[in-house]
Amino acid sequence: IDEDGSRLEKASKPTVTQSSAGKRDVVVVIDAGHGGEDPGAIGPRGTREKDVVLKMAQTLAKLINERPGYTAKLTRTGDYYIGLRNRTLLARKYNADLFVSVHADAFRTPQPKGASVFALSQRGATSETARWLAQSENRSDLTGGVSLDGRDDMLAGVLLDLSMTASINASLGVGSSVLGKLGGVAKLHKSGVEQAAFVVLKSPDIPSILVEAGFISNPQEEKNLSTEWYRSRLASAIMKGIDEYFQKTPPPGTLLAHQKQQRQGGNAVSHYRIQRGDTLSGVARRNQTTVSELMQFNGLRDDRVMVGQTIRIPAS
Ligand SMILES: [Zn+2]
């Protein structure tokens, strides 16, 4: 990966994908590295990184799209080049909850092998923060809850640092989950998530990871990466790692967040059978809740209850 000089352009309005339950999907933007005139690394048998990572990205997108509560988008769908900054802009355009860039490693000797996962380094974050602050036209661009528009420089810097730190922490979290699952199907190059100043990882408000699927310069891994079977196993492991992370920490407003809340609520619910003389306000008071909460929780249109009716009581 190298720096590119492409200008940061304004992304169009973010798109939000709604699931059937009216809760939005977790959006994962998958970026196949390189493309077009940039072949990426080339293996000893001539396998090109840009080709295997595109196929793997497509498989991963398919797996993610099949899963309820998720939508996958690809930065590129064919053999053409997209500037590195434009890849992050696409993540912003699609309102990504996670950006995953897929690559294959190379070394000048054939021995090194194994998959790796990267998150942004602190050094990369610091230089990016300075860049955002220097470009005042970008200030209204952050979508992840922080807008720097109209803030003074110091406050803008603090907010941007907070957002960047939160994004890196989330990236490390999802990265280690993905690395754990990859370890089940591939040799790992390093045991932990690595950090580097890759340009595609620099979104201040979108958790972003870069997966090196293996060393294309290693003859065995080149052979593996050329097979649909091996790429599917890797893609499936990445999907499981992503899902494990988002099941634990679903973004607010998503179907996954709703399901998690229901799971937790479901465990803590108790039931009460209305007796003669009971009122909903009395039941609410005895259970440290409110009439409106009970009405909402039970789908009641008013506060009238009947003897023998069962009321669900949420955990306080
Ligand atoms: Zn690459």
Side-chain angles (χ1 to χ4, degrees):
I1 294 194
D2 55 357
E3 289 272 346
D4 81 347
S6 72
R7 200 164 58 81
L8 210 64
E9 288 156 39
K10 282 266 184 271
S12 51
K13 207 174 179 333
T15 52
V16 176
T17 313
Q18 295 285 339
S19 72
S20 51
K23 312 286 177 206
R24 75 173 182 88
D25 282 350
V26 168
V27 178
V28 183
V29 171
I30 304 159
D31 173 48
H34 312 278
E37 63 269 33
D38 170 17
I42 297 177
R45 295 198 310 175
T47 309
R48 298 178 302 185
E49 178 185 358
K50 68 170 182 177
D51 298 326
V52 293
V53 297
L54 176 61
K55 287 176 184 157
M56 216 175 109
Q58 286 167 330
T59 304
L60 179 57
K62 184 170 163 284
L63 291 175
I64 289 174
N65 277 324
E66 281 168 3
R67 204 159 183 94
Y70 286 94
T71 293
K73 299 281 185 189
L74 290 159
T75 55
R76 72 174 172 99
T77 53
D79 185 18
Y80 48 88
Y81 185 74
I82 306 174
L84 299 176
R85 289 286 176 189
N86 286 328
R87 297 173 194 245
T88 62
L89 283 178
L90 282 169
R92 186 167 304 286
K93 178 185 164 200
Y94 290 130
N95 223 12
D97 295 290
L98 176 66
F99 177 87
V100 182
S101 192
V102 183
H103 286 256
D105 237 327
F107 200 65
R108 54 195 154 72
T109 59
Q111 291 82 13
K113 57 181 174 179
S116 327
V117 177
F118 286 87
L120 184 62
S121 63
Q122 192 50 57
R123 192 177 63 84
T126 305
S127 68
E128 187 65 5
T129 303
R131 184 173 176 277
W132 276 78
L133 291 174
Q135 297 186 334
S136 54
E137 71 270 26
N138 292 332
R139 287 188 168 200
S140 58
D141 245 19
L142 292 182
T143 55
V146 181
S147 169
L148 303 181
D149 232 4
R151 311 283 191 185
D152 70 46
D153 282 357
M154 200 165 111
L155 181 54
V158 170
L159 291 174
L160 197 52
D161 275 344
L162 285 173
S163 179
M164 193 62 114
T165 301
S167 294
I168 292 181
N169 285 338
S171 306
L172 291 169
V174 68
S176 89
S177 190
V178 166
L179 197 67
K181 299 295 177 193
L182 278 174
V185 299
K187 186 191 144 59
L188 297 181
H189 187 58
K190 294 270 170 63
S191 60
V193 177
E194 295 167 76
Q195 289 182 265
F198 293 140
V199 172
V200 290
L201 299 180
K202 287 186 171 180
S203 300
D205 54 347
I206 303 170
S208 304
I209 58 172
L210 186 144
V211 177
E212 297 274 13
F215 279 75
I216 208 166
S217 49
N218 176 283
Q220 184 57 51
E221 291 203 326
E222 177 188 29
K223 208 172 149 191
N224 287 345
L225 289 169
S226 308
T227 69
E228 170 68 35
W229 176 79
Y230 188 74
R231 288 194 305 263
S232 297
R233 292 188 68 193
L234 289 179
S236 164
I238 295 170
M239 165 71 224
K240 284 179 189 152
I242 291 170
D243 188 45
E244 181 182 84
Y245 176 79
F246 281 117
Q247 292 289 347
K248 265 188 276 177
T249 47
T254 58
L255 180 66
L256 295 190
H258 179 66
Q259 287 171 338
K260 186 185 177 194
Q261 199 177 20
Q262 280 194 324
R263 277 197 306 276
Q264 290 174 338
N267 293 337
V269 168
S270 60
H271 294 88
Y272 176 73
R273 206 177 164 85
I274 299 294
Q275 312 288 311
R276 191 172 300 278
D278 272 340
T279 59
L280 198 58
S281 62
V283 175
R285 207 164 38 243
R286 288 200 299 278
N287 290 282
Q288 287 92 47
T289 180
T290 62
V291 169
S292 60
E293 194 180 4
L294 283 182
M295 281 171 57
Q296 201 186 4
F297 202 66
N298 288 275
L300 302 175
R301 261 179 296 172
D302 54 44
D303 63 356
R304 281 174 296 184
V305 287
M306 289 181 304
V307 174
Q309 186 179 353
T310 301
I311 297 286
R312 296 166 71 235
I313 315 274
S316 52

